[in-house]
Amino acid sequence: MTPEVETAIQEVRDTFPDLLVEVTPEVQGGAYVVVGNLWIGDQYEPTTSWVGFLIPFTYPRADCYPHFLEGGIRRRDGRPLGDAITATTWNRRSALQVSRRSNHWNPSTDTAAAKLLKVLEWVRARP
Amino acid sequence: MRIKTSHEESGQTPLSLTITSKLLECLMAHLFPGDQDEHGAVIACGIVETKRGTRLLARELFLARDGMDYVPGHYGHRALTPAFIARVSDYCADERLCYLAVHNHGGNDSVGFSGVDLASHERGYPALLDITNGGPVGALVFAKSAVAGDIWTPQGCRALDYMTVLGPRIYRLYPSPPARPRHADLVYDRHVRLFGDAGQEILRSLKVGIIGLGGGGSLLSEWLSRLGVGHVVAVDFDGVDITNRPRIAGATQWDAMEPLVRSRFPWLRNLGCRLAHRKVDVARRVARQANPAIRYDAIPGDVVDQETAKLLRDADFLFLATDSMQSRLVFNALVQQYLIPGAQIGVKAMVEKDCRQIGDVFAATRLVLPGAGSGCLECHGLISAAALQEESLSEGERRAQRYVEDEEVPEPSVITLNALSAAQAANDLLFLFTGLYDEGVELKHQIHFARERLLSTVDFCSREECLDCGTLRRSRYARGDRGRLPCRMTAR
C-alpha cells in the first residue's frame, strides 16, 4: 500500500477504535476497507451494517467513493431505499451501493475517515 | 584544503542547482539591494541523482536578517549566526532537504569563494552533514550574473557546475563565462538565423519527455527531432490501429497491419491487431528519419507505473499528450517535484449523446512551470478526484458501479486540431529555452475555440495548500528523490 493509503487506514482505525477494520491491499497500492458493525439508523432493518469502500492508490488526490452496505438491509416501513442506494455485489458480497460523490473533494483536507463519517451521517439522516 | 573540480575536469556528471525565477528574484533583491555590501541566506533544496547528473532543487528560501542572523564574523567579513544555522539546519534535517548557505561578492559575470570562505566550509560542513543526516550541504556565492557553489556530501565535495533558472526564459548561470558554442551544422542554417548557434546548441543538449505518442504526441516527436533536440524519451503503451493511423505522424498502413485487419477472416483480423506496431516504435523511426543523430528512447510503458515515471525525472521538459487523469496527476507531480517545466496538450470535441450534434471544439495548450501561480494543473482544477477514482477501478468494477449502462463512445479526433495545441506547446519549448519570449510575457493556459476561431487565455490560479506546487510541509514541491511520486506500485 502507498504510505498515504496506510495513513488513511490508520485514521479510519482511530476514528472507529472499537470496531473491526478489515483491510485488503489492492495490487496497485490502494486498499479495500471494511468497517464492521456500524449503526446506520433505526429506520433500517437491521440497524447495523458493515461498510466497505476502496481507498484508491491515488488517494488523497482521488475521492473515496462509493461505499457499500450489507445487501440485505431494508427499511422498516417497507418504502424503497431511495435515490443513490442501489443493489449490487461488491467483493463477492451481496451489497447496497451508496453513491455519494464529493463534488469538491479537497486532497489537502478531506480524508477517507471523514468521508465515511459523512456517508454514515447521510444514511442515518434519510427520513 | 580540498581541491574542487568541475565535472569536465573530473569526468563526473554535472552537479547543478535548479531554481525558479521568482525565488531567484527574491534572493537577488536580498543579496543586492544596492548597498554594495554582503548579505546572507540559506536555500533548502531537494535533490535528484541520475546517470545524467545531480540536480539540487531550490524549494525554500530563508533570508538572514542583517545584524540579527548575519553578523560580523570571527574569521571573515560576515557570518550566519549559530542560532540561525541551527534553526534552518534542523528544519532541513526534519524535512530531508539539503542546506545551502548563500552570500554575495562584488563583480558581474565571474565569482569564486575566497580562502576565508573555503576555510569556514572546512570548519563547519562536516558537522552540518551530521546534523542534516548526510546532506548534501554546501554554499553558494553570487555575483550579479554568476554563481559558484561548494557542495559537500559524505563522499567528498564538489564544485557546482551551473545553476538553471526557470521562468519565461530558461537560462544558466555559471561561475565564469562559458566557452562559446560550436557552430551549428549547416542543416540548421535557418534556425541559427533566429536563435543563433547558442540556441541550436541548447536544443541539442536537451532531454525531452513525451507522454503519449498518439495524435498530438507523435507530431511533437517529429517536430522536436527536426528542431534538433538531442534526446527524446517517448512513453506510450499503445499500438497503432486502423482508427488512429490517420493522426499518427509517419504511420503507414503496415504499422496498423491494415491488410490483415481488413480481412474477412476473424483469425487474420486478430493476428493483425496483435502484430500492429507500437506507437513509440513508429515515433522513433520517424524521428530518426528527420534527425539521424537523435538519441531516442522508445518506452512501451505507462507513466503511471513508478519505474516508467522515474525515467523522466531528469528531463529538461515534459509534454503530456494523453487523455487519462492518472497520467495528468503524475505529469503534474513530475513538474513540481522535480522542477521540470512542461506542457499539457489536448483537444476536445463535445458531442451531444442523444442527438450526436457537435458542440464546442477546442484545443488546449497548458504550460506548467514549477512553482505556485505558474500553471499547476491541480490549482487550476484540472485533476479530477472523481476521474482518478474511476480510473483506479477494474473494468468490471467500473461497469458494476454505474447506475446506467452507458456505452463508452470514442470521441472525435482529427490531426489538424491536434496540431493546433501541439504547435503552441512546441514553440513554448523553443522560445523558453532560446530566450525568444518578450520580457513580461504571460505564459497562461491557452484554449483555442476552433469553431469560433477564438483564442482565449485562463488567468493563473494557485492554492497555498496545493500538495504539488505549494510549500506547506505536506507538499511534494522541489523534493526530488526525497519525495514519492503518486504512481501505482504494481500494474493490475
PDB file of all heavy atoms in Angstrom, chain A residues 48-80:
ATOM      1  N   THR A  48     -27.708  -2.150  11.999  1.00  0.00           N
ATOM      2  CA  THR A  48     -26.244  -2.032  11.850  1.00  0.00           C
ATOM      3  C   THR A  48     -25.805  -2.758  10.587  1.00  0.00           C
ATOM      4  O   THR A  48     -26.504  -3.640  10.074  1.00  0.00           O
ATOM      5  CB  THR A  48     -25.496  -2.646  13.055  1.00  0.00           C
ATOM      6  OG1 THR A  48     -25.826  -4.048  13.134  1.00  0.00           O
ATOM      7  CG2 THR A  48     -25.863  -1.946  14.354  1.00  0.00           C
ATOM      8  N   SER A  49     -24.655  -2.371  10.093  1.00  0.00           N
ATOM      9  CA  SER A  49     -24.123  -2.987   8.886  1.00  0.00           C
ATOM     10  C   SER A  49     -22.613  -2.810   8.833  1.00  0.00           C
ATOM     11  O   SER A  49     -22.061  -1.873   9.436  1.00  0.00           O
ATOM     12  CB  SER A  49     -24.734  -2.334   7.647  1.00  0.00           C
ATOM     13  OG  SER A  49     -24.103  -2.786   6.465  1.00  0.00           O
ATOM     14  N   TRP A  50     -21.960  -3.688   8.079  1.00  0.00           N
ATOM     15  CA  TRP A  50     -20.576  -3.388   7.700  1.00  0.00           C
ATOM     16  C   TRP A  50     -20.630  -2.309   6.621  1.00  0.00           C
ATOM     17  O   TRP A  50     -21.633  -2.155   5.916  1.00  0.00           O
ATOM     18  CB  TRP A  50     -19.834  -4.628   7.184  1.00  0.00           C
ATOM     19  CG  TRP A  50     -20.516  -5.367   6.052  1.00  0.00           C
ATOM     20  CD1 TRP A  50     -21.355  -6.445   6.168  1.00  0.00           C
ATOM     21  CD2 TRP A  50     -20.449  -5.058   4.652  1.00  0.00           C
ATOM     22  NE1 TRP A  50     -21.801  -6.835   4.936  1.00  0.00           N
ATOM     23  CE2 TRP A  50     -21.260  -6.010   3.979  1.00  0.00           C
ATOM     24  CE3 TRP A  50     -19.791  -4.101   3.891  1.00  0.00           C
ATOM     25  CZ2 TRP A  50     -21.407  -6.017   2.598  1.00  0.00           C
ATOM     26  CZ3 TRP A  50     -19.943  -4.098   2.506  1.00  0.00           C
ATOM     27  CH2 TRP A  50     -20.745  -5.052   1.875  1.00  0.00           C
ATOM     28  N   VAL A  51     -19.560  -1.521   6.509  1.00  0.00           N
ATOM     29  CA  VAL A  51     -19.447  -0.548   5.432  1.00  0.00           C
ATOM     30  C   VAL A  51     -18.104  -0.752   4.748  1.00  0.00           C
ATOM     31  O   VAL A  51     -17.062  -0.771   5.418  1.00  0.00           O
ATOM     32  CB  VAL A  51     -19.543   0.911   5.951  1.00  0.00           C
ATOM     33  CG1 VAL A  51     -19.434   1.885   4.777  1.00  0.00           C
ATOM     34  CG2 VAL A  51     -20.852   1.127   6.697  1.00  0.00           C
ATOM     35  N   GLY A  52     -18.127  -0.930   3.451  1.00  0.00           N
ATOM     36  CA  GLY A  52     -16.898  -1.188   2.698  1.00  0.00           C
ATOM     37  C   GLY A  52     -16.645  -0.113   1.654  1.00  0.00           C
ATOM     38  O   GLY A  52     -17.572   0.535   1.166  1.00  0.00           O
ATOM     39  N   PHE A  53     -15.389   0.085   1.333  1.00  0.00           N
ATOM     40  CA  PHE A  53     -15.034   1.060   0.293  1.00  0.00           C
ATOM     41  C   PHE A  53     -13.594   0.803  -0.137  1.00  0.00           C
ATOM     42  O   PHE A  53     -12.827   0.129   0.559  1.00  0.00           O
ATOM     43  CB  PHE A  53     -15.200   2.498   0.799  1.00  0.00           C
ATOM     44  CG  PHE A  53     -14.474   2.817   2.068  1.00  0.00           C
ATOM     45  CD1 PHE A  53     -13.235   3.445   2.037  1.00  0.00           C
ATOM     46  CD2 PHE A  53     -15.011   2.480   3.299  1.00  0.00           C
ATOM     47  CE1 PHE A  53     -12.556   3.734   3.208  1.00  0.00           C
ATOM     48  CE2 PHE A  53     -14.342   2.766   4.487  1.00  0.00           C
ATOM     49  CZ  PHE A  53     -13.112   3.389   4.443  1.00  0.00           C
ATOM     50  N   LEU A  54     -13.260   1.366  -1.281  1.00  0.00           N
ATOM     51  CA  LEU A  54     -11.889   1.289  -1.807  1.00  0.00           C
ATOM     52  C   LEU A  54     -11.188   2.613  -1.524  1.00  0.00           C
ATOM     53  O   LEU A  54     -11.761   3.686  -1.770  1.00  0.00           O
ATOM     54  CB  LEU A  54     -11.922   1.029  -3.318  1.00  0.00           C
ATOM     55  CG  LEU A  54     -10.584   1.182  -4.066  1.00  0.00           C
ATOM     56  CD1 LEU A  54      -9.599   0.091  -3.663  1.00  0.00           C
ATOM     57  CD2 LEU A  54     -10.805   1.165  -5.577  1.00  0.00           C
ATOM     58  N   ILE A  55      -9.978   2.549  -0.996  1.00  0.00           N
ATOM     59  CA  ILE A  55      -9.110   3.727  -0.975  1.00  0.00           C
ATOM     60  C   ILE A  55      -8.167   3.554  -2.162  1.00  0.00           C
ATOM     61  O   ILE A  55      -7.284   2.687  -2.136  1.00  0.00           O
ATOM     62  CB  ILE A  55      -8.302   3.841   0.337  1.00  0.00           C
ATOM     63  CG1 ILE A  55      -9.241   3.806   1.541  1.00  0.00           C
ATOM     64  CG2 ILE A  55      -7.493   5.132   0.333  1.00  0.00           C
ATOM     65  CD1 ILE A  55      -8.516   3.860   2.881  1.00  0.00           C
ATOM     66  N   PRO A  56      -8.336   4.357  -3.231  1.00  0.00           N
ATOM     67  CA  PRO A  56      -7.514   4.151  -4.431  1.00  0.00           C
ATOM     68  C   PRO A  56      -6.046   4.485  -4.171  1.00  0.00           C
ATOM     69  O   PRO A  56      -5.733   5.272  -3.270  1.00  0.00           O
ATOM     70  CB  PRO A  56      -8.107   5.133  -5.448  1.00  0.00           C
ATOM     71  CG  PRO A  56      -9.423   5.546  -4.894  1.00  0.00           C
ATOM     72  CD  PRO A  56      -9.314   5.437  -3.410  1.00  0.00           C
ATOM     73  N   PHE A  57      -5.158   3.944  -4.999  1.00  0.00           N
ATOM     74  CA  PHE A  57      -3.723   4.217  -4.804  1.00  0.00           C
ATOM     75  C   PHE A  57      -3.393   5.694  -5.016  1.00  0.00           C
ATOM     76  O   PHE A  57      -2.348   6.170  -4.575  1.00  0.00           O
ATOM     77  CB  PHE A  57      -2.877   3.320  -5.725  1.00  0.00           C
ATOM     78  CG  PHE A  57      -2.843   3.726  -7.177  1.00  0.00           C
ATOM     79  CD1 PHE A  57      -1.865   4.584  -7.659  1.00  0.00           C
ATOM     80  CD2 PHE A  57      -3.791   3.244  -8.069  1.00  0.00           C
ATOM     81  CE1 PHE A  57      -1.834   4.955  -8.996  1.00  0.00           C
ATOM     82  CE2 PHE A  57      -3.766   3.603  -9.409  1.00  0.00           C
ATOM     83  CZ  PHE A  57      -2.788   4.464  -9.866  1.00  0.00           C
ATOM     84  N   THR A  58      -4.263   6.418  -5.712  1.00  0.00           N
ATOM     85  CA  THR A  58      -4.025   7.845  -5.951  1.00  0.00           C
ATOM     86  C   THR A  58      -4.576   8.722  -4.827  1.00  0.00           C
ATOM     87  O   THR A  58      -4.532   9.945  -4.914  1.00  0.00           O
ATOM     88  CB  THR A  58      -4.668   8.274  -7.277  1.00  0.00           C
ATOM     89  OG1 THR A  58      -5.966   7.677  -7.374  1.00  0.00           O
ATOM     90  CG2 THR A  58      -3.817   7.849  -8.461  1.00  0.00           C
ATOM     91  N   TYR A  59      -5.106   8.102  -3.762  1.00  0.00           N
ATOM     92  CA  TYR A  59      -5.520   8.860  -2.579  1.00  0.00           C
ATOM     93  C   TYR A  59      -4.297   9.611  -2.007  1.00  0.00           C
ATOM     94  O   TYR A  59      -3.179   9.068  -2.045  1.00  0.00           O
ATOM     95  CB  TYR A  59      -6.077   7.892  -1.548  1.00  0.00           C
ATOM     96  CG  TYR A  59      -6.440   8.494  -0.216  1.00  0.00           C
ATOM     97  CD1 TYR A  59      -7.731   8.993   0.016  1.00  0.00           C
ATOM     98  CD2 TYR A  59      -5.497   8.607   0.805  1.00  0.00           C
ATOM     99  CE1 TYR A  59      -8.060   9.556   1.241  1.00  0.00           C
ATOM    100  CE2 TYR A  59      -5.821   9.184   2.016  1.00  0.00           C
ATOM    101  CZ  TYR A  59      -7.092   9.646   2.223  1.00  0.00           C
ATOM    102  OH  TYR A  59      -7.413  10.215   3.431  1.00  0.00           O
ATOM    103  N   PRO A  60      -4.395  10.840  -1.519  1.00  0.00           N
ATOM    104  CA  PRO A  60      -5.626  11.586  -1.252  1.00  0.00           C
ATOM    105  C   PRO A  60      -6.145  12.394  -2.430  1.00  0.00           C
ATOM    106  O   PRO A  60      -7.081  13.175  -2.279  1.00  0.00           O
ATOM    107  CB  PRO A  60      -5.203  12.533  -0.121  1.00  0.00           C
ATOM    108  CG  PRO A  60      -3.776  12.817  -0.416  1.00  0.00           C
ATOM    109  CD  PRO A  60      -3.212  11.541  -0.980  1.00  0.00           C
ATOM    110  N   ARG A  61      -5.542  12.246  -3.596  1.00  0.00           N
ATOM    111  CA  ARG A  61      -5.993  13.017  -4.749  1.00  0.00           C
ATOM    112  C   ARG A  61      -7.312  12.476  -5.299  1.00  0.00           C
ATOM    113  O   ARG A  61      -8.089  13.226  -5.887  1.00  0.00           O
ATOM    114  CB  ARG A  61      -4.910  13.001  -5.822  1.00  0.00           C
ATOM    115  CG  ARG A  61      -3.555  13.432  -5.271  1.00  0.00           C
ATOM    116  CD  ARG A  61      -3.558  14.845  -4.783  1.00  0.00           C
ATOM    117  NE  ARG A  61      -3.607  15.738  -5.908  1.00  0.00           N
ATOM    118  CZ  ARG A  61      -2.519  16.134  -6.581  1.00  0.00           C
ATOM    119  NH1 ARG A  61      -1.328  15.758  -6.195  1.00  0.00           N
ATOM    120  NH2 ARG A  61      -2.643  16.928  -7.615  1.00  0.00           N
ATOM    121  N   ALA A  62      -7.526  11.168  -5.130  1.00  0.00           N
ATOM    122  CA  ALA A  62      -8.772  10.555  -5.609  1.00  0.00           C
ATOM    123  C   ALA A  62      -9.812  10.549  -4.489  1.00  0.00           C
ATOM    124  O   ALA A  62      -9.471  10.410  -3.312  1.00  0.00           O
ATOM    125  CB  ALA A  62      -8.514   9.125  -6.067  1.00  0.00           C
ATOM    126  N   ASP A  63     -11.060  10.686  -4.882  1.00  0.00           N
ATOM    127  CA  ASP A  63     -12.191  10.600  -3.947  1.00  0.00           C
ATOM    128  C   ASP A  63     -12.349   9.150  -3.487  1.00  0.00           C
ATOM    129  O   ASP A  63     -11.967   8.218  -4.202  1.00  0.00           O
ATOM    130  CB  ASP A  63     -13.457  11.068  -4.694  1.00  0.00           C
ATOM    131  CG  ASP A  63     -14.665  11.252  -3.791  1.00  0.00           C
ATOM    132  OD1 ASP A  63     -14.563  11.055  -2.565  1.00  0.00           O
ATOM    133  OD2 ASP A  63     -15.733  11.600  -4.341  1.00  0.00           O
ATOM    134  N   CYS A  64     -12.853   8.980  -2.272  1.00  0.00           N
ATOM    135  CA  CYS A  64     -13.216   7.629  -1.789  1.00  0.00           C
ATOM    136  C   CYS A  64     -14.718   7.484  -1.971  1.00  0.00           C
ATOM    137  O   CYS A  64     -15.506   8.115  -1.276  1.00  0.00           O
ATOM    138  CB  CYS A  64     -12.884   7.483  -0.298  1.00  0.00           C
ATOM    139  SG  CYS A  64     -11.144   7.336  -0.007  1.00  0.00           S
ATOM    140  N   TYR A  65     -15.076   6.672  -2.925  1.00  0.00           N
ATOM    141  CA  TYR A  65     -16.480   6.632  -3.375  1.00  0.00           C
ATOM    142  C   TYR A  65     -16.619   5.471  -4.335  1.00  0.00           C
ATOM    143  O   TYR A  65     -15.682   5.219  -5.097  1.00  0.00           O
ATOM    144  CB  TYR A  65     -16.765   7.972  -4.059  1.00  0.00           C
ATOM    145  CG  TYR A  65     -17.713   7.951  -5.223  1.00  0.00           C
ATOM    146  CD1 TYR A  65     -19.069   8.184  -5.014  1.00  0.00           C
ATOM    147  CD2 TYR A  65     -17.279   7.730  -6.529  1.00  0.00           C
ATOM    148  CE1 TYR A  65     -19.961   8.168  -6.059  1.00  0.00           C
ATOM    149  CE2 TYR A  65     -18.162   7.702  -7.583  1.00  0.00           C
ATOM    150  CZ  TYR A  65     -19.507   7.926  -7.344  1.00  0.00           C
ATOM    151  OH  TYR A  65     -20.397   7.908  -8.382  1.00  0.00           O
ATOM    152  N   PRO A  66     -17.683   4.720  -4.403  1.00  0.00           N
ATOM    153  CA  PRO A  66     -18.817   4.736  -3.488  1.00  0.00           C
ATOM    154  C   PRO A  66     -18.548   3.905  -2.235  1.00  0.00           C
ATOM    155  O   PRO A  66     -17.458   3.338  -2.102  1.00  0.00           O
ATOM    156  CB  PRO A  66     -19.919   4.104  -4.335  1.00  0.00           C
ATOM    157  CG  PRO A  66     -19.189   3.146  -5.230  1.00  0.00           C
ATOM    158  CD  PRO A  66     -17.842   3.758  -5.498  1.00  0.00           C
ATOM    159  N   HIS A  67     -19.532   3.830  -1.373  1.00  0.00           N
ATOM    160  CA  HIS A  67     -19.468   2.984  -0.184  1.00  0.00           C
ATOM    161  C   HIS A  67     -20.519   1.883  -0.304  1.00  0.00           C
ATOM    162  O   HIS A  67     -21.502   2.017  -1.041  1.00  0.00           O
ATOM    163  CB  HIS A  67     -19.711   3.828   1.089  1.00  0.00           C
ATOM    164  CG  HIS A  67     -18.609   4.804   1.342  1.00  0.00           C
ATOM    165  ND1 HIS A  67     -18.378   5.898   0.540  1.00  0.00           N
ATOM    166  CD2 HIS A  67     -17.639   4.832   2.298  1.00  0.00           C
ATOM    167  CE1 HIS A  67     -17.321   6.571   0.979  1.00  0.00           C
ATOM    168  NE2 HIS A  67     -16.862   5.945   2.054  1.00  0.00           N
ATOM    169  N   PHE A  68     -20.290   0.787   0.399  1.00  0.00           N
ATOM    170  CA  PHE A  68     -21.165  -0.383   0.267  1.00  0.00           C
ATOM    171  C   PHE A  68     -21.643  -0.847   1.644  1.00  0.00           C
ATOM    172  O   PHE A  68     -20.863  -0.854   2.606  1.00  0.00           O
ATOM    173  CB  PHE A  68     -20.423  -1.528  -0.435  1.00  0.00           C
ATOM    174  CG  PHE A  68     -20.009  -1.171  -1.839  1.00  0.00           C
ATOM    175  CD1 PHE A  68     -18.807  -0.548  -2.085  1.00  0.00           C
ATOM    176  CD2 PHE A  68     -20.857  -1.431  -2.919  1.00  0.00           C
ATOM    177  CE1 PHE A  68     -18.427  -0.193  -3.373  1.00  0.00           C
ATOM    178  CE2 PHE A  68     -20.495  -1.086  -4.210  1.00  0.00           C
ATOM    179  CZ  PHE A  68     -19.277  -0.464  -4.430  1.00  0.00           C
ATOM    180  N   LEU A  69     -22.923  -1.207   1.715  1.00  0.00           N
ATOM    181  CA  LEU A  69     -23.523  -1.729   2.946  1.00  0.00           C
ATOM    182  C   LEU A  69     -23.973  -3.171   2.708  1.00  0.00           C
ATOM    183  O   LEU A  69     -24.031  -3.640   1.566  1.00  0.00           O
ATOM    184  CB  LEU A  69     -24.757  -0.897   3.342  1.00  0.00           C
ATOM    185  CG  LEU A  69     -24.610   0.612   3.450  1.00  0.00           C
ATOM    186  CD1 LEU A  69     -25.962   1.228   3.818  1.00  0.00           C
ATOM    187  CD2 LEU A  69     -23.574   0.976   4.488  1.00  0.00           C
ATOM    188  N   GLU A  70     -24.327  -3.813   3.800  1.00  0.00           N
ATOM    189  CA  GLU A  70     -24.885  -5.168   3.750  1.00  0.00           C
ATOM    190  C   GLU A  70     -26.054  -5.222   2.758  1.00  0.00           C
ATOM    191  O   GLU A  70     -26.943  -4.367   2.784  1.00  0.00           O
ATOM    192  CB  GLU A  70     -25.361  -5.542   5.160  1.00  0.00           C
ATOM    193  CG  GLU A  70     -26.249  -6.756   5.242  1.00  0.00           C
ATOM    194  CD  GLU A  70     -25.487  -8.023   4.886  1.00  0.00           C
ATOM    195  OE1 GLU A  70     -24.407  -8.234   5.467  1.00  0.00           O
ATOM    196  OE2 GLU A  70     -25.962  -8.773   4.020  1.00  0.00           O
ATOM    197  N   GLY A  71     -26.066  -6.223   1.889  1.00  0.00           N
ATOM    198  CA  GLY A  71     -27.058  -6.286   0.833  1.00  0.00           C
ATOM    199  C   GLY A  71     -28.481  -6.519   1.306  1.00  0.00           C
ATOM    200  O   GLY A  71     -29.438  -6.166   0.624  1.00  0.00           O
ATOM    201  N   GLY A  72     -28.641  -7.091   2.491  1.00  0.00           N
ATOM    202  CA  GLY A  72     -29.989  -7.452   2.938  1.00  0.00           C
ATOM    203  C   GLY A  72     -30.736  -6.354   3.669  1.00  0.00           C
ATOM    204  O   GLY A  72     -31.849  -6.572   4.168  1.00  0.00           O
ATOM    205  N   ILE A  73     -30.193  -5.184   3.750  1.00  0.00           N
ATOM    206  CA  ILE A  73     -30.831  -4.096   4.504  1.00  0.00           C
ATOM    207  C   ILE A  73     -32.132  -3.656   3.845  1.00  0.00           C
ATOM    208  O   ILE A  73     -32.203  -3.499   2.623  1.00  0.00           O
ATOM    209  CB  ILE A  73     -29.859  -2.910   4.642  1.00  0.00           C
ATOM    210  CG1 ILE A  73     -28.732  -3.287   5.602  1.00  0.00           C
ATOM    211  CG2 ILE A  73     -30.577  -1.653   5.130  1.00  0.00           C
ATOM    212  CD1 ILE A  73     -27.575  -2.320   5.583  1.00  0.00           C
ATOM    213  N   ARG A  74     -33.172  -3.448   4.651  1.00  0.00           N
ATOM    214  CA  ARG A  74     -34.456  -2.940   4.170  1.00  0.00           C
ATOM    215  C   ARG A  74     -34.906  -1.847   5.113  1.00  0.00           C
ATOM    216  O   ARG A  74     -34.446  -1.743   6.235  1.00  0.00           O
ATOM    217  CB  ARG A  74     -35.530  -4.062   4.187  1.00  0.00           C
ATOM    218  CG  ARG A  74     -35.186  -5.263   3.309  1.00  0.00           C
ATOM    219  CD  ARG A  74     -35.365  -4.927   1.826  1.00  0.00           C
ATOM    220  NE  ARG A  74     -35.014  -6.078   0.988  1.00  0.00           N
ATOM    221  CZ  ARG A  74     -33.815  -6.283   0.467  1.00  0.00           C
ATOM    222  NH1 ARG A  74     -32.827  -5.414   0.714  1.00  0.00           N
ATOM    223  NH2 ARG A  74     -33.579  -7.334  -0.272  1.00  0.00           N
ATOM    224  N   ARG A  75     -35.860  -1.051   4.662  1.00  0.00           N
ATOM    225  CA  ARG A  75     -36.476  -0.052   5.529  1.00  0.00           C
ATOM    226  C   ARG A  75     -37.580  -0.727   6.337  1.00  0.00           C
ATOM    227  O   ARG A  75     -38.327  -1.560   5.815  1.00  0.00           O
ATOM    228  CB  ARG A  75     -37.060   1.098   4.717  1.00  0.00           C
ATOM    229  CG  ARG A  75     -36.027   2.016   4.102  1.00  0.00           C
ATOM    230  CD  ARG A  75     -36.709   3.191   3.414  1.00  0.00           C
ATOM    231  NE  ARG A  75     -37.490   3.970   4.358  1.00  0.00           N
ATOM    232  CZ  ARG A  75     -37.030   5.050   5.000  1.00  0.00           C
ATOM    233  NH1 ARG A  75     -35.800   5.476   4.791  1.00  0.00           N
ATOM    234  NH2 ARG A  75     -37.807   5.685   5.839  1.00  0.00           N
ATOM    235  N   ARG A  76     -37.722  -0.361   7.612  1.00  0.00           N
ATOM    236  CA  ARG A  76     -38.770  -0.942   8.470  1.00  0.00           C
ATOM    237  C   ARG A  76     -40.151  -0.630   7.926  1.00  0.00           C
ATOM    238  O   ARG A  76     -41.067  -1.428   8.039  1.00  0.00           O
ATOM    239  CB  ARG A  76     -38.659  -0.366   9.891  1.00  0.00           C
ATOM    240  CG  ARG A  76     -37.552  -0.944  10.711  1.00  0.00           C
ATOM    241  CD  ARG A  76     -37.647  -0.413  12.152  1.00  0.00           C
ATOM    242  NE  ARG A  76     -36.462  -0.771  12.894  1.00  0.00           N
ATOM    243  CZ  ARG A  76     -36.279  -1.957  13.482  1.00  0.00           C
ATOM    244  NH1 ARG A  76     -37.231  -2.877  13.432  1.00  0.00           N
ATOM    245  NH2 ARG A  76     -35.174  -2.225  14.127  1.00  0.00           N
ATOM    246  N   ASP A  77     -40.283   0.579   7.336  1.00  0.00           N
ATOM    247  CA  ASP A  77     -41.613   0.969   6.856  1.00  0.00           C
ATOM    248  C   ASP A  77     -41.903   0.423   5.453  1.00  0.00           C
ATOM    249  O   ASP A  77     -42.919   0.744   4.856  1.00  0.00           O
ATOM    250  CB  ASP A  77     -41.760   2.496   6.873  1.00  0.00           C
ATOM    251  CG  ASP A  77     -40.717   3.203   6.013  1.00  0.00           C
ATOM    252  OD1 ASP A  77     -40.040   2.526   5.203  1.00  0.00           O
ATOM    253  OD2 ASP A  77     -40.560   4.418   6.138  1.00  0.00           O
ATOM    254  N   GLY A  78     -40.987  -0.350   4.914  1.00  0.00           N
ATOM    255  CA  GLY A  78     -41.224  -1.011   3.626  1.00  0.00           C
ATOM    256  C   GLY A  78     -41.007  -0.131   2.414  1.00  0.00           C
ATOM    257  O   GLY A  78     -41.119  -0.590   1.279  1.00  0.00           O
ATOM    258  N   ARG A  79     -40.716   1.156   2.637  1.00  0.00           N
ATOM    259  CA  ARG A  79     -40.541   2.052   1.482  1.00  0.00           C
ATOM    260  C   ARG A  79     -39.230   1.716   0.782  1.00  0.00           C
ATOM    261  O   ARG A  79     -38.332   1.087   1.371  1.00  0.00           O
ATOM    262  CB  ARG A  79     -40.512   3.509   1.963  1.00  0.00           C
ATOM    263  CG  ARG A  79     -41.921   4.048   2.263  1.00  0.00           C
ATOM    264  CD  ARG A  79     -41.903   5.293   3.123  1.00  0.00           C
ATOM    265  NE  ARG A  79     -40.969   6.296   2.652  1.00  0.00           N
ATOM    266  CZ  ARG A  79     -40.518   7.280   3.406  1.00  0.00           C
ATOM    267  NH1 ARG A  79     -40.893   7.387   4.649  1.00  0.00           N
ATOM    268  NH2 ARG A  79     -39.676   8.168   2.919  1.00  0.00           N
ATOM    269  N   PRO A  80     -39.090   2.138  -0.496  1.00  0.00           N
ATOM    270  CA  PRO A  80     -37.814   1.898  -1.188  1.00  0.00           C
ATOM    271  C   PRO A  80     -36.684   2.641  -0.471  1.00  0.00           C
ATOM    272  O   PRO A  80     -36.923   3.639   0.217  1.00  0.00           O
ATOM    273  CB  PRO A  80     -38.042   2.507  -2.579  1.00  0.00           C
ATOM    274  CG  PRO A  80     -39.521   2.644  -2.731  1.00  0.00           C
ATOM    275  CD  PRO A  80     -40.084   2.792  -1.364  1.00  0.00           C
TER     276      PRO A  80
END
